[in-house]
Every structure is written in structure tokens, then in C-alpha cells.
Amino acid sequence: MYINSGYLRSSRVDFKDYTRPLVVGSCGTYRLSGRPDALPTHRPRGRVDYQLLYVAKGKAHFFFDGREEVVGAGSMVLYAPREEQKYIYYTAERPEIFWVHFTGYDVRNILDFYRFDSQKHVYATGTRSEYRWLFQRMILELQLCKPLYEEMLASLLNDLFLLICRQMDPDRRQTDVIHDQIVEAVAYFSENYNQTISVSDYARSHHISTNYFIRSLKQYIGMTPKQYIASVRMANAQMLLENSAYTIQEIASFVGYTDALYFGRLFKRETGMTPSEYRKQFQSQPEQA
């Protein structure tokens, strides 16, 4: 079994703290393999603070009002103060669990704002890598106790609530998926702008309709894929004309054009000057003292 955890002021006793809106009391993770065969927890009277658990891998078995609910990877479980807590992790199901305990005078309002239902325990949130990162950061902050670490903990937990809220909203989930697709596409085009790129082939390889992909990219960055690739090519061509002694033909080739004359026409349409005129403009400028 692997365990890693951190506790506020090194205290393992649960507590209330109404001096601040949101206070992280402890955070940790379990990863079961080998022995023991099971790791049960039962707190008949619960805790005095809130607890949020994240099933990152495998399964966990929770009991609510005497009924067992098997919770799979990609789910969060929330317990309120003084609420009975009963759950079991079985090693054979290879669970990996993260947990955080928190308190504060404004917790209920914060949870309401992020759409946590006071009558609900289990939330399907998906297995985003950001969840793991946020939990690990909270554990580290509790262990290192750097200046203002309590404020950092509250900020990290608030970020976790925000991310969970987005995942629980179907419209926001769709928006996040589109955003991730656009970020990936922009990164790919930026890395490969000087190669021959087929927009339709790119869309097809990512199982996206070409027309839908073009519309989405234009909606997010204000340009079609071809316009974006051309803008990156022109920006890099301008940089080379300003700061290098490469020939126009060489620069055209570096940024993805085999035909220097075609490159020259596109460059003039973009900047109002031929590549040679653009270069002379910078060569004639006096050096700054």
C-alpha cells in the first residue's frame, strides 16, 4: 500500500475553523496493492469538517443510509460534517484515492456556488489529470509549510471546486472538449507551420468534421486554420527578414513556401511591402543607443 498525506500544523485531529471562509485541514492519497486485502473506514458520527474523496483509479465501495454504492474511477464523493462515513477499498480492485478535509465559515455557500447538492454524495467528474495535480499540490503545501501556504491551500481547493463544477455541467463539458481540441490544433499548427498541412486530414485524424473544425477554430481565435498557418508563416518570415542575412528564397523555404515569387505576393498582401522592401526598412533604421 502507498500512502502520502499532509496535515495542517501537523495535527491529525479534525477541527472547525470559522476564522476564514475556507480552510484545508488535511489532504492525502491511498494506492492499494498487495496487502492488506481491504481498507475499511467507518465513522458512525462522521467528522466535524467536510471531506471530499476522488476515485482516480479502480473502485471504492461506499454505504449511504445502509445501501452500498460501488463508485468507479472518475467520481468524487462529498461528506458533510457529522455525517456517517462508511466505505471500503478492496486491494483486488486496485483503487487509487485522493481525499481532502476542509472547514471554514463560508463552506456551504462556496459549495452551493459551485453547484454541489447538499442532498447528494456522488458526482461524476471524469478523470482529468488536473485533479491529481491539485491534490498533489495540496499535499505538498501541507508538508512544506511555505509562507502563506494556508492561503495557497484555499486557492488550490477553490480551483478544484471550479474544475468539478465545469465537469458537472454538460454545456461546460462540451465547451471544455472544444477548447482542448482547439488548443491541441493550434499547438500542432505552430510546431508544423512550415510543413504541408492538410486541414481535412488533420480533422479526420482527430475524428472531427472538417467544416465543424474550421468553424470552431475561427470562433475561438478569429481565423480559419489556413489563415492561422499563413499568419504564423508571415510572422516568422518577418522575424527572419529583420534579424538574419538569409536570402528571400531561403526564408520562403524556411517558413513553408517552395515558390519564392508566390511567397513574395503573399507577403506584400499581408504587409503592403515586398520582402526586399521590408528588409531595407529595418536595415536603414539607426541602431538604438
Side-chain angles (χ1 to χ4, degrees):
M1 181 176 72
Y2 169 84
I3 182 172
N4 188 21
S5 58
Y7 295 82
L8 188 66
R9 295 183 285 274
S10 300
S11 174
R12 286 171 168 75
V13 179
D14 53 331
F15 63 91
K16 294 180 181 179
D17 185 336
Y18 293 149
T19 63
R20 286 168 292 171
L22 185 62
V23 180
V24 174
S26 57
C27 187
T29 180
Y30 293 105
R31 188 165 63 242
L32 269 63
S33 60
R35 291 193 171 275
D37 296 331
L39 184 63
T41 296
H42 188 203
R43 302 184 182 104
R45 298 182 180 179
R47 295 174 54 97
V48 300
D49 54 7
Y50 285 83
Q51 179 174 212
L52 181 69
L53 302 104
Y54 168 49
V55 184
K57 291 183 179 179
K59 299 177 183 177
H61 297 250
F62 290 84
F63 296 82
F64 306 112
D65 298 322
R67 296 189 299 273
E68 180 179 7
E69 183 171 346
V70 180
V71 177
S75 298
M76 301 273 180
V77 178
L78 178 65
Y79 284 108
R82 297 303 185 188
E83 187 175 14
E84 180 185 13
Q85 297 182 5
K86 184 178 181 181
Y87 46 89
I88 304 174
Y89 309 140
Y90 293 102
T91 301
E93 294 174 335
R94 304 185 69 82
E96 181 177 13
I97 312 294
F98 290 87
W99 50 265
V100 58
H101 297 132
F102 54 97
T103 182
Y105 69 75
D106 204 31
V107 171
R108 190 62 256 173
N109 287 332
I110 292 171
L111 292 174
D112 288 342
F113 177 80
Y114 287 117
R115 304 182 183 180
F116 285 90
D117 187 338
S118 60
Q119 303 302 312
K120 185 177 178 180
H121 289 99
V122 181
Y123 299 86
T125 57
T127 54
R128 295 178 67 102
S129 60
E130 292 95 331
Y131 295 145
R132 184 187 300 274
W133 182 87
L134 287 166
F135 277 105
Q136 290 171 338
R137 278 294 309 277
M138 287 190 282
I139 294 170
L140 192 60
E141 288 291 335
L142 286 162
Q143 292 171 340
L144 297 180
C145 302
K146 292 183 177 180
L148 300 176
Y149 76 103
E150 294 183 42
E151 287 73 15
M152 177 61 79
L153 286 164
S155 176
L156 290 168
L157 183 55
N158 194 76
D159 287 347
L160 179 62
F161 291 154
L162 174 59
L163 193 59
I164 292 170
C165 179
R166 283 186 168 182
Q167 291 303 106
M168 291 191 295
D169 187 322
D171 293 335
R172 290 185 179 183
R173 280 204 300 269
Q174 180 63 21
T175 300
D176 282 350
V177 169
I178 296 171
H179 177 266
D180 291 345
Q181 291 172 345
I182 297 305
V183 169
E184 182 180 354
V186 168
Y188 177 83
F189 294 155
S190 296
E191 287 291 323
N192 299 277
Y193 72 90
N194 59 351
Q195 306 297 318
T196 300
I197 298 176
S198 167
V199 174
S200 58
D201 286 349
Y202 178 87
R204 192 180 306 111
S205 68
H206 287 74
H207 310 290
I208 309 169
S209 158
T210 300
N211 290 335
Y212 171 78
F213 173 62
I214 293 172
R215 286 198 308 271
S216 298
L217 192 76
K218 188 170 184 179
Q219 178 183 349
Y220 271 77
I221 67 173
M223 291 181 278
T224 66
K226 288 185 177 180
Q227 288 170 336
Y228 178 76
I229 293 167
S231 71
V232 175
R233 287 177 170 180
M234 290 299 132
N236 282 280
Q238 287 174 279
M239 184 273 294
L240 290 170
L241 288 166
E242 294 169 17
N243 301 291
S244 78
Y246 292 119
T247 66
I248 305 299
Q249 176 68 59
E250 288 173 326
I251 291 174
S253 178
F254 290 155
V255 300
Y257 296 103
T258 56
D259 186 337
L261 292 177
Y262 178 64
F263 162 70
R265 288 196 299 272
L266 292 178
F267 190 91
K268 186 171 183 179
R269 188 171 65 189
E270 178 72 21
T271 66
M273 292 179 280
T274 66
S276 297
E277 291 169 340
Y278 185 88
R279 168 171 274 171
K280 287 178 182 178
Q281 173 185 259
F282 283 89
Q283 290 175 340
S284 62
Q285 290 180 355
E287 292 187 3
Q288 299 294 319

